[in-house]
Amino acid sequence: MNGIKERRTDDSPHGQDVSVVISGCDTADARMVFDALRAAFATDRASADVPRKLARTRPTAWVATVDVTEERVVSGPAPLGAPLSIDVQGGYWAVERLRRSLAHAFDVRVVGTVSGDQEEEVRLRLDNRDSPQAGPRGPGRPDPGPGSR
């Protein structure tokens, strides 16, 4: 396997930043995702920058740039009102680090990727970690027991 995708290159202009775009969801859910990202990494969205709908007839997209250089511990699951999709773009290692960090707060599934030479764009589907719609259990998810299968 070629290790180029996994190698961190500090001289890459996009090596440490990941662009995150959230749309098509409730403002409270968008805020929950931004709060989880802010807890894990440095981001350009201040905690006072609360997502708001700007138009009733058009979709609203909220954007943040996340610096994944230094990762902090995320305390645990964060509740969402409904599953949502986010689009993330950045270097391979940076996108993977962001995805792994989000998995502390949400059930995270990769639902689409577009790969480039040094960057990738990934669509992630986020759901509550304990949601029955979340799919198969991932690492760290409790076994629901024999009566719930």
Side-chain angles (χ1 to χ4, degrees):
M1 177 175 172
N2 187 344
I4 293 174
K5 288 183 181 179
E6 294 149 11
R7 187 180 312 141
R8 178 178 168 179
T9 57
D10 290 324
D11 56 348
S12 169
H14 303 289
Q16 300 173 354
D17 289 340
V18 178
S19 298
V20 178
V21 179
I22 304 172
S23 65
C25 69
D26 184 68
T27 56
D29 288 340
R31 181 175 185 160
M32 200 58 69
V33 174
F34 285 132
D35 286 349
L37 289 170
R38 196 177 309 100
F41 303 108
T43 175
D44 65 348
R45 281 190 83 95
S47 59
D49 188 2
V50 178
R52 296 177 293 148
K53 290 260 186 210
L54 299 178
R56 293 172 98 168
T57 58
R58 295 175 149 166
T60 301
W62 301 283
V63 180
T65 301
V66 179
D67 180 350
V68 299
T69 306
E70 293 184 34
E71 186 175 10
R72 299 182 289 261
V73 176
V74 176
S75 62
L80 293 173
L84 62 95
S85 295
I86 67 172
D87 294 312
V88 298
Q89 180 180 4
Y92 287 93
W93 78 271
V95 167
E96 178 61 17
R97 180 176 245 190
L98 184 129
R99 185 199 62 76
R100 281 192 326 241
S101 182
L102 283 173
H104 293 287
F106 310 103
D107 182 76
V108 180
R109 289 185 300 127
V110 174
V111 294
T113 61
V114 177
S115 299
D117 185 32
Q118 296 177 17
E119 288 190 340
E120 67 179 337
E121 183 172 344
V122 179
R123 175 156 293 169
L124 301 173
R125 186 74 173 164
L126 307 182
D127 200 351
N128 292 317
R129 283 184 51 195
D130 57 352
S131 170
Q133 300 97 319
R137 284 190 339 276
R141 295 204 48 201
D143 186 353
S148 62
R149 294 179 206 238

